Structure formats: structure tokens, C-alpha cells
Amino acid sequence: MSAPASRGRFIAFEGGEGAGKTTQSRLLADALERLGIAALTTREPGGTPGAEALRGLLLDPELDWGARAEALLFAAARSDHVEKLIEPALAAGQWVICDRFLDSSRAYQGGAGGVDDDDVLALHAIGSGGLLPDLTILIDLAPAESAKRAKIRDGNASDRIGAKDEAYHAAVRERFELIATDAANRFVRIDGSGDPGDVHARIMQAIVPLVEEA
Ligand code: TYD
């Protein structure tokens, strides 16, 4: 009988709109594969059929969710994602790279939406057993640059949350900073300016310890 696979590592990307999380998730997964590490990329809200269905509801510009309802729905989507995709992959020894996770709920629904951080964490405890990433990569980008990139990407078709006003997105950024400072043991901050190759190089430097201990 072969030995059970050692548990994979869980890496989350966080940051505001247009910060480059999706591009960087893919570049990181490719780089890990080249190092012989099997890596799965996924995203939130989404990643499983049920969570993708909730994503459609959450981001629909025709709907008008309040921050508390959003927090519940994001937690429900996350619960399905963790149970059906993330935990099984980690248990099988795969590394999981997730484009947004819990800290997005803490920054958007909490920091910008006004839901108490303890309540967001309580929903996460109920839904997902409190699972935390081994490493959270916060890509920071100045608001003007981030708005410019999001505009190029989305034109006038940004989703319901992306379309919220400047003050909302400033509060998101501020809360991400606070969370990263508070949980410095599982966060790295990465400067998101420059071209994708530059940002990727900064990320590779930051994940050396995780790769070395694997
Ligand atoms: P995403 O598609 O990653 O947007 P972007 O590519 O612009 O970063 O995420 C969709 C939106 O959902 C984004 O505006 C952030 C928001 N969101 C929350 O408000 N709370 C959450 O818990 C998550 C995961 C995302």
C-alpha cells in the first residue's frame, strides 16, 4: 500500500478590483507545476457548480443585496467550495491557489459593508470549519491604477460589487491592510504595479519558504 499523500498547501490571492489576481494565480500555478508541484487554480465566489450559481446571483446588477445577505451568500458559496473542491484537493496532496477567499468577505462585506468582523468569522466557522490559507498574497495597487485596469478589463460592464463607488473600494483597501497587519504570519503584501512578469517575480520570491518546507 502506498503512503498517504502529504497535505497540499493552500494559497489565496486577495486585493481590490483589477489588481491582477487572476493572471498571477495562473502564473503561480504554472511555475509550481514546473517545480513538480501539482497545483489547482480556483476562484471565489465560485469553484463548484453550486458556488458558481451563487456567484451569478451575487454579482447580478439587477439584484440589490444588502451587506448581511451578501455575507451569508458568500459564506454559503465558500462552504460548498471548501467541502467539495478545496479540502479534497488538499487532502490528496495538491496545492490549491484560490483567487479570493475569506479575507474578501472581511474586507468587502465587513470593512466596506459594515458587517462585524466577528460575524463574518462566525459564518466561516459554521460554513467551512474556519479553514485559513497557509499563505495569503495581498496584491496592492494604488486606487487610480486599479480603477484604470478594471475599466480596461470591464468597460462599462463591471459586476454589481465592482461597480460600487470609490469610497466603498477605499474602505475595502483599508480593511485588507488592517487584516494583513493583524495576521502577518499568513500574509505577504506584494506591490501590484508594473507588468505581470515583474509582479510574478515578486510573488515567486515571497513563496520560497513555503516551497522549501514542502
Ligand atoms: P472577482 O471576480 O474576483 O472580481 P475581480 O476580478 O474584479 O477582483 O470577484 C467578484 C466580486 O466579488 C469582487 O467585486 C469582490 C467581491 N467579493 C466580495 O464582496 N466578497 C467575497 O467574499 C468575495 C469572494 C468576493
Side-chain angles (χ1 to χ4, degrees):
M1 211 171 72
S2 58
S6 68
R7 187 175 164 86
R9 299 288 187 272
F10 181 23
I11 301 175
F13 276 93
E14 296 284 6
E17 319 288 308
K21 298 177 301 300
T22 310
T23 306
Q24 294 304 328
S25 304
R26 284 200 208 102
L27 290 173
L28 176 58
D30 291 347
L32 290 174
E33 294 279 353
R34 284 196 296 275
L35 293 171
I37 295 172
L40 174 90
T41 53
T42 185
R43 69 167 181 185
E44 289 211 342
T48 57
E52 290 289 338
L54 287 172
R55 177 186 179 92
L57 292 173
L58 274 160
L59 301 184
D60 184 346
E62 302 289 320
L63 299 176
D64 179 27
W65 302 108
R68 304 182 78 75
E70 281 177 2
L72 287 157
L73 289 169
F74 277 113
R78 185 163 300 127
S79 174
D80 195 60
H81 191 202
V82 167
E83 181 188 332
K84 304 213 174 97
L85 188 83
I86 297 178
E87 275 294 358
L90 292 172
Q94 267 188 309
W95 287 38
V96 175
I97 301 170
C98 194
D99 186 349
R100 297 192 180 281
F101 194 65
L102 167 71
D103 298 310
S104 277
S105 288
R106 298 175 72 195
Y108 283 78
Q109 285 63 55
V115 179
D116 201 273
D117 192 47
D118 286 342
D119 289 342
V120 176
L121 292 172
L123 292 177
H124 187 56
I126 296 166
S128 303
L131 176 71
L132 291 176
D134 296 293
L135 182 71
T136 305
I137 299 173
L138 176 62
I139 304 188
D140 189 45
L141 196 62
E145 181 62 19
S146 151
K148 201 166 87 191
R149 286 195 200 169
K151 178 98 188 148
I152 292 168
R153 186 190 59 185
D154 303 332
N156 291 320
S158 52
D159 63 56
R160 190 182 60 81
I161 295 177
K164 287 182 186 278
D165 64 18
E166 225 172 273
Y168 182 93
H169 291 289
V172 167
R173 185 171 187 234
E174 199 178 307
R175 183 58 66 93
F176 269 134
E177 276 303 313
L178 198 70
I179 298 168
T181 304
D182 258 18
N185 58 327
R186 68 170 174 92
F187 264 90
V188 288
R189 281 190 189 76
I190 296 290
D191 171 9
S193 63
D195 70 46
D198 295 338
V199 181
H200 175 62
R202 289 176 204 132
I203 290 170
M204 290 311 289
Q205 245 175 0
I207 70 148
V208 165
L210 208 61
V211 170
E212 282 181 347
E213 75 179 29

